[in-house]
Amino acid sequence: MITTLGVLGIFAGALLTVLLALNLRTRGLQMWPPTHGSWQSRLFWILFRTLNVSALTLAAIDWQPLGNSDVLRIAAAVAAAI
């Protein structure tokens, strides 16, 4: 389950990143800002929510992957905060 959620989140995030990057070059695409009710809006919000829900779910399921080392947890927190 963890692998499936990770792959799903990575896929959604990568596709969203590619579409937003294409938005800079292609004016007809208009992924951002999404127009209410358009297919771009629906696709944007589906990918955005999939990415966030998978990240939050992974964080809840696998909340202690580094073991009991306080040094590693502090280092990971500092790296995430930067």
Side-chain angles (χ1 to χ4, degrees), residues 29-76:
L29 184 61
Q30 192 175 354
M31 288 300 292
W32 187 259
T35 306
H36 182 69
S38 66
W39 68 268
Q40 294 98 330
S41 175
R42 288 190 292 273
L43 181 61
F44 174 83
W45 288 113
I46 287 170
L47 292 173
F48 182 77
R49 289 174 181 151
T50 301
L51 173 62
N52 288 324
V53 168
S54 64
L56 290 172
T57 306
L58 282 173
I61 290 173
D62 197 20
W63 65 274
Q64 197 175 11
L66 299 176
N68 291 327
S69 175
D70 288 334
V71 174
L72 287 176
R73 272 188 262 174
I74 292 170

Side-chain angles (χ1 to χ4, degrees), residues 7-31:
V7 169
L8 185 64
I10 290 171
F11 176 75
L15 184 57
L16 186 59
T17 302
V18 167
L19 288 172
L20 289 173
L22 285 174
N23 185 56
L24 295 173
R25 297 277 183 186
T26 309
R27 292 292 175 207
L29 184 61
Q30 192 175 354
M31 288 300 292

